[in-house]
Amino acid sequence: MTVAATRPSRQRRLLGWIWPLGLLLVAWLIAPLRAGAIYPGMPCVAQADTVFSLASYTLFFIPTAVILLILSRRMIPAVLRRGLRAWTAGLIALGIAVGLVFLAFAGISADRRPNRPGEHAITCPTFGAGLQALHCWQDVSTIEVNVVGQRPLDMAGIQKMASALAAAKQDATLYEAFVLDTTDPSVAAYSNARLFVLQRPGLSDFADLCLAERQAKLREVQSHTIGFYRYSAQQSPPVNAFFLRDSGSGGEVGYEVIDFLHGQATLPYVRPADLQPAESAYLDLVTLAVATLNGDLDREVQRPSPPGSLAAMRQDFTRLTADLVNAPPRLVLFRDTRVKRFLENYDLILSAEESAAQGNSSLAIHSSAYEDHRQHYYQEARVARLIGYLYLQEPGLAFTDDQLSTVNWAVF
């Protein structure tokens, strides 16, 4: 007597075809959790990230479901009927691996998180000077650390904090430690890479979506930052310095900077307590003059350059050179060294541009002077006041362009 095989119920047959949908449901539950962890305190951006991740998981689910159904409906039953236990175990393991890979990586196709590729958490170093590391990341050649500490109230405190951060620097192309005055995870959980994207929304795949929220988060994080340490032997020029941002009673921005780069001597950039109105006005004039001249240069090197750009470049140079002659007594050395070198190098570029406009070849001198300008002076408008503070703090000491460029590249 032959007994007919029992046919599975309709519900069991249906379940056999739709069970991979459970994997998609798990992925949909993971998406908001991932986004919330990456963007703490930013519901709009986290929701946008969730939407893109859901779409990505759904798209990648189609080939994943096909693979799982082929394995579960065809290949695994076939090897079971033949009694091939090893093959059965291998195919089951393959199916599990496919599901895990889907859950872990499918959202990457629409992942808008501003992590740099390869960024991962690492063990934080131990600091002294009352500093405690909160979060630490590494991205191949870059190490970033967020620490909490109390703002130093004098130069001795700055030196102590800066030395503690410098002593713990790790082997990396770029090492940065941001000192915060809060342990709030919605502030401390943001690495510098994410802050950069929050600051530059054009770099985000979200375009202008949630722009106001991102900028508000950036302001929140910046309001809790009291300073940062940066070290890079491969940066050009190299940098090994600690920076503490400060604001004066009049709203002017000052800096306290400890530069470890040049020998054992440290170069403190500090806003002088006895800064005179005439000195402040002269530093403002240098800042405005450099910004104007750099703007003229940017327009002139456009191809084609705007009509009249070269004439405006010469006119502004002549006028501003004369304006910068009258420096207060304590800034005469600043005028006769750093400002003078800037103007002399700029004059070389200007002369080369005028010679080229007349059909003469001046490529060599232009290239050399322009390279020096980019390396040493291009950020000058943003650090003129800072460099002036240094000259006021160290009277009678002339600084090299290489020393001063450390500030240009490290801060900006």
Coordinates of all heavy atoms in Angstrom, one line a residue, residues 213-279:
E213 N 19.0 73.1 10.7 CA 19.3 72.2 11.8 C 20.8 71.9 11.9 O 21.4 71.9 13.0 CB 18.5 70.9 11.7 CG 18.7 70.0 12.9 CD 18.0 68.7 12.8 OE1 18.4 67.8 12.0 OE2 17.0 68.5 13.5
R214 N 21.4 71.6 10.8 CA 22.8 71.3 10.8 C 23.7 72.5 11.2 O 24.6 72.4 12.0 CB 23.3 70.9 9.4 CG 22.7 69.5 8.9 CD 23.6 68.9 7.9 NE 23.9 69.7 6.8 CZ 23.1 69.9 5.7 NH1 21.9 69.3 5.7 NH2 23.4 70.7 4.7
Q215 N 23.3 73.7 10.8 CA 24.0 74.9 11.2 C 23.8 75.2 12.6 O 24.8 75.6 13.3 CB 23.6 76.0 10.3 CG 24.0 75.9 8.8 CD 23.5 77.0 8.0 OE1 22.6 77.7 8.3 NE2 24.2 77.3 6.8
A216 N 22.6 74.9 13.1 CA 22.4 75.1 14.6 C 23.2 74.1 15.4 O 23.7 74.5 16.5 CB 20.9 74.9 14.9
K217 N 23.3 72.9 14.9 CA 24.2 71.9 15.7 C 25.6 72.3 15.6 O 26.3 72.2 16.7 CB 24.0 70.5 15.0 CG 24.9 69.5 15.6 CD 24.8 69.3 17.1 CE 23.5 68.8 17.5 NZ 23.4 68.5 19.0
L218 N 26.1 72.9 14.5 CA 27.5 73.3 14.5 C 27.7 74.4 15.5 O 28.7 74.4 16.2 CB 27.8 73.8 13.0 CG 29.2 74.4 12.9 CD1 30.2 73.4 13.1 CD2 29.3 75.1 11.5
R219 N 26.8 75.4 15.5 CA 26.9 76.5 16.5 C 26.9 75.9 17.9 O 27.7 76.4 18.8 CB 25.8 77.5 16.3 CG 26.0 78.3 15.0 CD 25.0 79.5 15.0 NE 23.6 79.1 15.0 CZ 22.9 78.9 13.9 NH1 23.5 79.1 12.7 NH2 21.7 78.5 13.9
E220 N 26.1 74.9 18.2 CA 26.1 74.4 19.5 C 27.4 73.7 19.9 O 27.9 73.9 21.0 CB 25.0 73.3 19.6 CG 24.9 72.6 21.0 CD 23.9 71.5 21.0 OE1 23.3 71.2 19.9 OE2 23.7 70.9 22.1
V221 N 28.0 73.0 19.0 CA 29.2 72.3 19.2 C 30.3 73.3 19.4 O 31.2 73.2 20.3 CB 29.6 71.3 18.1 CG1 31.0 70.7 18.3 CG2 28.5 70.2 18.0
Q222 N 30.4 74.3 18.5 CA 31.4 75.3 18.6 C 31.3 76.1 19.9 O 32.3 76.5 20.5 CB 31.3 76.3 17.4 CG 31.7 75.7 16.1 CD 31.6 76.7 15.0 OE1 30.8 77.5 15.0 NE2 32.4 76.5 14.0
S223 N 30.1 76.3 20.4 CA 30.0 77.1 21.7 C 30.5 76.3 22.9 O 30.8 76.9 23.9 CB 28.5 77.4 21.9 OG 27.8 76.2 22.2
H224 N 30.7 75.0 22.7 CA 31.3 74.2 23.8 C 32.8 73.9 23.6 O 33.3 73.1 24.4 CB 30.5 72.9 24.0 CG 29.1 73.1 24.5 ND1 28.9 73.4 25.9 CD2 27.9 73.1 23.9 CE1 27.6 73.5 26.1 NE2 27.0 73.3 24.9
T225 N 33.4 74.4 22.6 CA 34.8 74.1 22.3 C 35.6 75.2 22.9 O 35.4 76.3 22.7 CB 35.0 74.0 20.8 OG1 34.2 73.0 20.2 CG2 36.5 73.7 20.5
I226 N 36.6 74.8 23.7 CA 37.5 75.8 24.3 C 38.9 75.8 23.7 O 39.7 76.7 23.9 CB 37.7 75.5 25.8 CG1 38.3 74.2 26.1 CG2 36.3 75.6 26.5 CD1 38.6 74.0 27.6
G227 N 39.2 74.8 22.8 CA 40.5 74.8 22.1 C 40.7 73.5 21.4 O 40.0 72.6 21.6
F228 N 41.8 73.4 20.7 CA 42.2 72.2 20.0 C 43.7 72.1 19.8 O 44.4 73.1 19.6 CB 41.4 71.9 18.7 CG 41.8 72.8 17.6 CD1 42.8 72.4 16.7 CD2 41.3 74.1 17.4 CE1 43.1 73.1 15.6 CE2 41.7 74.9 16.3 CZ 42.6 74.4 15.4
Y229 N 44.2 70.9 19.8 CA 45.6 70.6 19.5 C 45.6 69.9 18.2 O 44.9 69.0 17.9 CB 46.1 69.7 20.6 CG 47.5 69.2 20.3 CD1 48.6 70.0 20.5 CD2 47.7 67.9 19.8 CE1 49.9 69.5 20.2 CE2 49.0 67.4 19.5 CZ 50.1 68.2 19.7 OH 51.3 67.8 19.4
R230 N 46.6 70.3 17.4 CA 46.8 69.6 16.1 C 48.3 69.3 15.9 O 49.1 70.1 16.1 CB 46.3 70.6 14.9 CG 46.6 70.0 13.5 CD 46.0 70.8 12.5 NE 44.5 70.7 12.4 CZ 43.7 71.3 11.5 NH1 44.3 72.1 10.6 NH2 42.4 71.2 11.6
Y231 N 48.5 68.1 15.4 CA 49.9 67.6 15.1 C 49.9 66.9 13.7 O 49.0 66.1 13.5 CB 50.4 66.7 16.1 CG 51.7 66.0 15.7 CD1 52.9 66.6 15.9 CD2 51.7 64.7 15.2 CE1 54.1 66.0 15.5 CE2 52.8 64.1 14.8 CZ 54.0 64.7 14.9 OH 55.2 64.1 14.5
S232 N 50.8 67.3 12.9 CA 51.0 66.7 11.6 C 52.4 67.0 11.1 O 52.7 68.1 10.8 CB 50.0 67.1 10.6 OG 50.3 66.5 9.3
A233 N 53.2 65.9 11.0 CA 54.5 66.0 10.5 C 54.5 66.1 8.9 O 55.4 66.7 8.3 CB 55.4 64.9 10.9
Q234 N 53.5 65.6 8.3 CA 53.4 65.6 6.9 C 52.6 66.7 6.3 O 52.6 66.9 5.1 CB 52.8 64.2 6.4 CG 53.5 63.0 6.9 CD 53.0 61.7 6.3 OE1 52.4 61.7 5.2 NE2 53.1 60.6 7.0
Q235 N 52.0 67.5 7.1 CA 51.3 68.7 6.6 C 52.3 69.7 6.1 O 53.4 69.7 6.6 CB 50.4 69.3 7.7 CG 49.5 70.5 7.3 CD 48.6 70.8 8.4 OE1 47.9 70.0 9.0 NE2 48.5 72.1 8.7
S236 N 52.0 70.5 5.1 CA 53.0 71.4 4.6 C 52.5 72.9 4.8 O 51.5 73.3 4.1 CB 53.2 71.1 3.1 OG 54.1 72.1 2.5
P237 N 53.2 73.6 5.6 CA 54.3 73.2 6.5 C 53.7 72.4 7.7 O 52.6 72.4 8.0 CB 54.8 74.5 7.0 CG 53.7 75.5 7.0 CD 52.8 75.1 5.8
P238 N 54.6 71.6 8.3 CA 54.2 70.8 9.5 C 53.6 71.7 10.6 O 53.9 72.8 10.7 CB 55.5 70.1 9.9 CG 56.4 70.2 8.7 CD 56.1 71.5 8.0
V239 N 52.8 71.0 11.4 CA 52.2 71.8 12.5 C 52.3 70.9 13.8 O 52.1 69.7 13.8 CB 50.8 72.2 12.2 CG1 49.9 70.9 11.9 CG2 50.2 73.0 13.3
N240 N 52.5 71.6 14.9 CA 52.5 70.9 16.2 C 52.1 72.0 17.2 O 53.0 72.7 17.8 CB 53.8 70.3 16.5 CG 53.8 69.5 17.9 OD1 52.7 69.4 18.5 ND2 55.0 69.1 18.3
A241 N 50.9 72.3 17.4 CA 50.5 73.5 18.1 C 49.1 73.3 18.8 O 48.3 72.4 18.4 CB 50.4 74.7 17.2
F242 N 48.9 74.1 19.8 CA 47.6 74.1 20.6 C 47.0 75.5 20.4 O 47.7 76.5 20.6 CB 47.8 73.8 22.1 CG 46.6 74.0 22.9 CD1 45.6 73.1 22.8 CD2 46.5 75.0 23.7 CE1 44.4 73.2 23.6 CE2 45.4 75.2 24.5 CZ 44.3 74.3 24.4
F243 N 45.7 75.5 20.2 CA 45.0 76.8 19.9 C 43.8 76.9 20.8 O 43.0 76.0 21.0 CB 44.5 76.8 18.4 CG 45.6 76.6 17.4 CD1 46.0 75.3 17.1 CD2 46.2 77.7 16.9 CE1 47.0 75.1 16.2 CE2 47.3 77.5 16.0 CZ 47.7 76.2 15.6
L244 N 43.7 78.1 21.4 CA 42.6 78.4 22.3 C 42.0 79.7 21.8 O 42.6 80.8 21.8 CB 43.1 78.6 23.7 CG 42.0 78.8 24.8 CD1 41.3 77.4 25.0 CD2 42.7 79.1 26.1
R245 N 40.8 79.6 21.3 CA 40.1 80.8 20.8 C 39.5 81.7 21.9 O 39.1 81.2 22.9 CB 38.9 80.3 19.9 CG 38.3 81.4 19.0 CD 37.3 80.8 18.0 NE 36.8 81.7 17.1 CZ 35.7 82.4 17.3 NH1 35.0 82.2 18.4 NH2 35.3 83.3 16.3
D246 N 39.6 83.0 21.7 CA 39.2 83.9 22.7 C 38.5 85.1 22.1 O 38.7 85.4 20.9 CB 40.4 84.4 23.5 CG 40.0 85.2 24.7 OD1 38.9 85.0 25.2 OD2 40.9 85.9 25.2
S247 N 37.6 85.7 22.8 CA 36.9 86.9 22.3 C 37.0 88.0 23.3 O 36.9 87.8 24.5 CB 35.4 86.6 22.1 OG 35.2 85.6 21.1
G248 N 37.4 89.2 22.8 CA 37.6 90.3 23.7 C 36.3 91.0 24.0 O 35.2 90.7 23.5
S249 N 36.4 92.0 24.9 CA 35.1 92.7 25.3 C 34.5 93.4 24.2 O 33.3 93.6 24.2 CB 35.5 93.6 26.5 OG 36.5 94.6 26.1
G250 N 35.3 93.8 23.2 CA 34.8 94.5 22.1 C 34.3 93.6 20.9 O 34.0 94.1 19.9
G251 N 34.3 92.3 21.2 CA 33.9 91.4 20.2 C 35.0 90.9 19.2 O 34.8 90.0 18.4
E252 N 36.2 91.4 19.4 CA 37.3 91.0 18.5 C 37.8 89.6 18.9 O 37.7 89.2 20.1 CB 38.5 92.0 18.6 CG 39.1 92.1 20.0 CD 40.2 93.1 20.0 OE1 40.3 93.9 19.1 OE2 41.0 93.0 21.0
V253 N 38.2 88.8 17.9 CA 38.6 87.5 18.2 C 40.1 87.5 18.4 O 40.9 88.1 17.7 CB 38.3 86.6 17.0 CG1 38.8 85.2 17.2 CG2 36.8 86.5 16.8
G254 N 40.5 86.8 19.5 CA 41.9 86.6 19.8 C 42.2 85.2 20.0 O 41.4 84.3 20.0
Y255 N 43.5 84.8 20.0 CA 44.0 83.5 20.1 C 45.1 83.4 21.1 O 45.9 84.3 21.3 CB 44.5 82.9 18.8 CG 43.4 82.8 17.7 CD1 43.1 83.9 16.9 CD2 42.7 81.6 17.5 CE1 42.2 83.8 15.9 CE2 41.8 81.6 16.5 CZ 41.5 82.7 15.7 OH 40.5 82.6 14.8
E256 N 45.1 82.2 21.8 CA 46.3 81.9 22.6 C 46.8 80.6 22.0 O 46.0 79.6 22.0 CB 45.9 81.7 24.1 CG 45.5 83.0 24.7 CD 44.3 82.9 25.7 OE1 43.4 82.1 25.4 OE2 44.3 83.7 26.6
V257 N 48.0 80.6 21.5 CA 48.5 79.5 20.7 C 49.9 79.1 21.3 O 50.7 79.9 21.5 CB 48.6 79.8 19.3 CG1 49.2 78.6 18.5 CG2 47.3 80.3 18.7
I258 N 50.1 77.8 21.5 CA 51.4 77.3 21.9 C 51.9 76.5 20.7 O 51.3 75.5 20.3 CB 51.3 76.4 23.2 CG1 50.7 77.2 24.3 CG2 52.7 75.8 23.5 CD1 51.5 78.3 24.8
D259 N 53.0 76.9 20.1 CA 53.6 76.2 19.0 C 54.8 75.5 19.4 O 55.8 76.0 19.8 CB 53.9 77.3 17.9 CG 54.5 76.7 16.6 OD1 54.6 75.5 16.6 OD2 54.8 77.5 15.7
F260 N 54.7 74.1 19.2 CA 55.8 73.3 19.6 C 56.8 72.9 18.5 O 57.7 72.2 18.6 CB 55.3 71.9 20.2 CG 54.5 72.0 21.4 CD1 53.1 72.1 21.3 CD2 55.0 72.1 22.7 CE1 52.3 72.2 22.4 CE2 54.3 72.2 23.8 CZ 52.9 72.3 23.7
L261 N 56.5 73.5 17.3 CA 57.2 73.1 16.1 C 58.7 73.5 16.1 O 59.5 72.7 15.6 CB 56.5 73.6 14.9 CG 57.0 73.2 13.5 CD1 56.8 71.7 13.4 CD2 56.3 73.9 12.4
H262 N 59.0 74.6 16.5 CA 60.4 75.2 16.3 C 61.2 75.0 17.5 O 61.2 75.8 18.4 CB 60.3 76.6 15.8 CG 59.5 76.8 14.6 ND1 58.1 77.1 14.7 CD2 59.8 76.7 13.3 CE1 57.6 77.2 13.4 NE2 58.6 76.9 12.6
G263 N 62.0 73.9 17.5 CA 62.9 73.6 18.7 C 62.1 73.4 19.9 O 60.9 73.0 19.9
Q264 N 62.7 73.8 21.0 CA 62.0 73.6 22.3 C 61.3 74.9 22.7 O 60.5 74.9 23.7 CB 63.1 73.3 23.4 CG 63.8 72.0 23.2 CD 62.8 70.8 23.2 OE1 62.0 70.7 24.0 NE2 63.0 69.9 22.2
A265 N 61.5 76.0 22.0 CA 60.8 77.2 22.3 C 59.3 77.2 21.9 O 59.0 76.6 20.8 CB 61.5 78.4 21.7
T266 N 58.5 77.7 22.7 CA 57.1 77.8 22.4 C 56.8 79.3 22.0 O 57.4 80.2 22.5 CB 56.2 77.4 23.5 OG1 56.5 78.2 24.7 CG2 56.4 75.9 23.9
L267 N 55.9 79.4 21.0 CA 55.5 80.8 20.6 C 54.1 81.1 21.0 O 53.2 80.6 20.4 CB 55.7 80.9 19.0 CG 57.0 80.4 18.5 CD1 57.0 80.5 17.0 CD2 58.1 81.3 19.0
P268 N 53.9 81.8 22.0 CA 52.5 82.1 22.5 C 51.9 83.3 21.7 O 52.5 84.4 21.7 CB 52.7 82.5 24.0 CG 54.0 83.1 24.0 CD 54.9 82.4 23.0
Y269 N 50.8 83.0 21.1 CA 50.0 84.1 20.4 C 48.9 84.5 21.3 O 47.9 83.7 21.5 CB 49.4 83.6 19.1 CG 50.4 83.2 18.0 CD1 51.2 82.0 18.2 CD2 50.5 83.9 16.8 CE1 52.0 81.6 17.2 CE2 51.4 83.5 15.8 CZ 52.1 82.4 16.0 OH 53.0 82.0 15.0
V270 N 49.0 85.6 22.0 CA 48.0 86.0 23.0 C 47.6 87.4 22.7 O 48.4 88.3 22.4 CB 48.6 85.9 24.4 CG1 47.6 86.2 25.4 CG2 49.3 84.6 24.6
R271 N 46.3 87.7 22.8 CA 45.8 89.0 22.7 C 46.3 89.9 23.9 O 45.9 89.6 25.0 CB 44.2 89.0 22.6 CG 43.7 90.5 22.6 CD 42.2 90.4 22.3 NE 41.5 89.4 23.0 CZ 41.0 89.5 24.2 NH1 41.3 90.5 25.0 NH2 40.3 88.5 24.8
P272 N 47.1 90.9 23.6 CA 47.7 91.6 24.7 C 46.6 92.3 25.5 O 45.6 92.9 25.0 CB 48.6 92.6 24.1 CG 48.8 92.1 22.7 CD 47.6 91.3 22.3
A273 N 46.7 92.4 26.8 CA 45.8 93.1 27.7 C 45.9 94.6 27.5 O 45.0 95.3 27.8 CB 46.0 92.7 29.2
D274 N 47.1 95.0 27.0 CA 47.3 96.5 26.9 C 47.2 96.9 25.4 O 47.8 97.9 25.0 CB 48.7 96.9 27.4 CG 49.8 96.2 26.7 OD1 49.6 95.2 26.0 OD2 51.0 96.6 26.9
L275 N 46.5 96.1 24.6 CA 46.3 96.5 23.2 C 45.7 97.9 23.0 O 44.7 98.2 23.6 CB 45.4 95.5 22.5 CG 45.2 95.7 21.0 CD1 46.5 95.4 20.2 CD2 44.1 94.7 20.5
Q276 N 46.4 98.7 22.3 CA 46.0 100.1 22.2 C 45.1 100.3 21.0 O 45.1 99.5 20.0 CB 47.2 101.0 21.9 CG 48.2 101.0 23.1 CD 47.6 101.4 24.4 OE1 47.0 102.5 24.5 NE2 47.8 100.7 25.5
P277 N 44.2 101.3 21.0 CA 43.2 101.5 19.9 C 44.0 101.7 18.5 O 43.5 101.1 17.5 CB 42.5 102.7 20.3 CG 42.5 102.8 21.8 CD 43.9 102.2 22.1
A278 N 45.1 102.4 18.5 CA 45.8 102.6 17.3 C 46.4 101.3 16.8 O 46.4 101.1 15.6 CB 46.9 103.6 17.5
E279 N 46.8 100.4 17.7 CA 47.4 99.1 17.3 C 46.3 98.2 16.7 O 46.5 97.6 15.7 CB 48.0 98.5 18.5 CG 49.3 99.2 19.0 CD 49.8 98.8 20.3 OE1 49.0 98.1 21.0 OE2 51.0 99.0 20.6

